[in-house]
Amino acid sequence: MRAEQEIFNELEEVCASSGYIHVLAALCFRDTIVGFANEVRPEDLQKLFSPSTLIRTEINVLLGLMARHSIDFTQPTQADLSKMGERSDKLLHELHETMSAAGGKLIFQQDKLADPDYNPFANAEALREPIFYGGESAYTFQYRDLAPRKYASDAKWLMDNRKVDLTVCREVCKSLTDLLGDRLMTTLRALKEKPAEEWSMLDGFTFSSSEIAERIGIAAETVRTLIEAFCLPGPEANAAYTTLHAFNAVQSYPILRKGPDEFVLFQAYGLTEALYDAPFYWMGADKEYAKVALKHRGDFAEDFSYERLAKVFGAPRVFKNVEIIKGKGATLGEIDVLVIFGDCALVLQAEEAHAGSSERQ
């Protein structure tokens, strides 16, 4: 079995090939788009759960490796497109097997299974595979709709420093998802009128800020500013993505630039996740504002949790900022949100995470 880094390096060679972006468009269409007639049936969605279907994190690996180089939009031949796609599938499958084997060696050590003190999950190697291939943290609409509320107290900073209004961003995301849904169908139908050597699904993932602006009735320049805030600056932005566990910049900048007002987005989920996560790191880079941003982050987690729990258990059973006191004036601690339900107590602590943390609230 080959080393993970060797497979990763070979995968980068494939992703750096001329016209690979057309391969990526084909893979995304194959594995992230569900076709149906009249109404969605369970069997229509079944392909999303096939072991051969690429998941979002795997597509991000391909996208990130391609983005480490200047993107060549040249249309490859269908033979080359198929060859690169098959090679991508094979290498990603090999990468998965290698990662699984590394974790398996820790979990299934026969000489240690009888040891009650042995915990294979104390070693990060055993957790890499289930984390990388695990399910998503939230639905697209949750990231999209919660982002403006999460950063409501930071709205001034975001506008002053990034020219970003997350309320408008939310509408841009909605419109963009609808536009690309329509465009994919238009692109697919148009293939019938083209010779096979010109077939590509890339147009189905391509859009302009002026199109979005027209749809939602907002100035094109405003929309373009918001789109460019989540647009990968260039190959240098992902230069550090040299190993699978390194930070992949396409997680924060999922949009690619194709022309002056022409952009490519392969996964709408990636954009809404960036909308929810990226502003915290923008503000964390501002040393003067970082502490304020941290406080606002904690306040949001506490207030939102209180509101949700009150809807479940009833407001009279949910309490905020509860002090734990022992004796006269001796405070042992504080509970951010406390639920008393029957003879049970639910305690929630909205701990603040520093700007370099990957903790999500």
Side-chain angles (χ1 to χ4, degrees):
M1 184 169 288
R2 292 198 296 168
E4 177 182 302
Q5 192 60 44
E6 182 182 351
I7 303 167
F8 186 85
N9 292 342
E10 184 175 340
L11 191 57
E12 180 176 1
E13 291 179 10
V14 177
C15 295
S17 302
S18 174
Y20 187 79
I21 193 167
H22 295 273
V23 178
L24 196 50
L27 293 175
C28 286
F29 180 76
R30 182 194 72 184
D31 291 344
T32 69
I33 305 301
V34 174
F36 63 93
N38 299 321
E39 62 180 21
V40 180
R41 301 170 300 169
E43 50 266 38
D44 296 325
L45 300 172
Q46 191 60 43
K47 76 165 191 175
L48 298 178
F49 302 95
S50 167
S52 63
T53 296
L54 301 184
I55 61 174
R56 190 176 65 89
T57 49
E58 291 178 303
I59 292 173
N60 270 351
V61 170
L62 302 179
L63 181 58
L65 290 175
M66 180 184 70
R68 293 192 73 243
H69 307 268
S70 295
I71 298 175
D72 184 349
F73 289 89
T74 302
Q75 171 88 37
T77 65
Q78 291 302 304
D80 286 343
L81 190 151
S82 296
K83 184 178 179 180
M84 287 187 282
E86 290 170 3
R87 190 64 183 151
S88 300
D89 281 334
K90 183 177 180 180
L91 288 170
L92 284 172
H93 178 70
E94 186 180 2
L95 194 66
H96 190 181
E97 288 189 323
T98 300
M99 200 185 305
S100 297
K105 287 180 181 178
L106 292 169
I107 297 173
F108 301 108
Q109 293 193 47
Q110 295 296 328
D111 59 329
K112 294 184 178 181
L113 289 178
D115 182 356
D117 296 322
Y118 177 63
N119 179 13
F121 299 106
N123 189 313
E125 193 66 40
L127 298 171
R128 293 181 72 232
E129 192 274 344
I131 290 174
F132 185 84
Y133 294 96
E136 303 294 1
S137 301
Y139 290 107
T140 305
F141 70 88
Q142 290 173 320
Y143 280 140
R144 182 196 67 207
D145 294 345
L146 281 176
R149 180 170 177 182
K150 179 182 181 182
Y151 298 107
S153 298
D154 305 300
K156 186 177 186 306
W157 187 96
L158 290 170
M159 180 55 69
D160 291 346
N161 293 272
R162 290 281 181 155
K163 304 301 180 187
V164 167
D165 181 335
L166 291 179
T167 301
V168 179
C169 280
R170 178 184 61 202
E171 300 310 310
V172 169
C173 283
K174 287 181 180 178
S175 179
L176 180 52
T177 301
D178 292 341
L179 184 149
L180 291 181
D182 295 340
R183 181 139 301 159
L184 279 167
M185 287 302 301
T186 301
T187 302
L188 185 62
R189 291 182 180 126
L191 297 184
K192 297 178 181 179
E193 309 300 325
K194 295 181 178 181
E197 283 304 307
E198 295 180 14
W199 284 3
S200 172
M201 289 305 298
L202 182 59
D203 286 348
F205 298 94
T206 305
F207 67 96
S208 68
S209 60
S210 56
E211 291 175 303
I212 303 298
E214 185 176 350
R215 279 178 167 240
I216 61 178
I218 295 177
E221 190 59 36
T222 298
V223 175
R224 184 181 299 184
T225 298
L226 297 178
I227 289 171
E228 290 180 341
F230 297 95
C231 186
L232 192 71
E236 67 283 353
N238 215 22
Y241 187 53
T242 56
T243 62
L244 186 65
H245 56 266
F247 174 68
N248 188 351
V250 300
Q251 292 176 243
S252 295
Y253 303 100
I255 299 175
L256 304 177
R257 184 185 292 279
K258 187 180 179 185
D261 187 27
E262 202 171 13
F263 305 91
V264 176
L265 175 65
F266 286 115
Q267 300 184 95
Y269 189 101
L271 177 58
T272 57
E273 185 181 42
L275 193 70
Y276 187 84
D277 279 342
F280 175 68
Y281 296 97
W282 299 344
M283 295 181 291
D286 183 339
K287 294 182 179 180
E288 293 184 3
Y289 193 78
K291 289 184 178 180
V292 177
L294 279 170
K295 182 181 183 305
H296 291 166
R297 178 184 175 96
D299 290 344
F300 164 75
E302 184 178 310
D303 293 342
F304 185 74
S305 299
Y306 173 83
E307 177 189 303
R308 295 292 100 185
L309 290 169
K311 287 183 177 293
V312 174
F313 295 99
R317 299 185 182 91
V318 185
F319 308 88
K320 285 175 61 177
N321 302 319
V322 178
E323 289 189 341
I324 304 173
I325 299 175
K326 179 180 180 181
K328 296 182 178 179
T331 301
L332 298 180
E334 181 187 50
I335 298 174
D336 291 333
V337 182
L338 172 66
V339 179
I340 301 296
F341 192 73
D343 60 353
C344 297
L346 177 63
V347 176
L348 185 144
Q349 293 297 113
E351 299 296 336
E352 294 179 353
H354 62 77
S357 168
S358 61
E359 177 183 346
R360 177 171 292 140
Q361 295 183 349

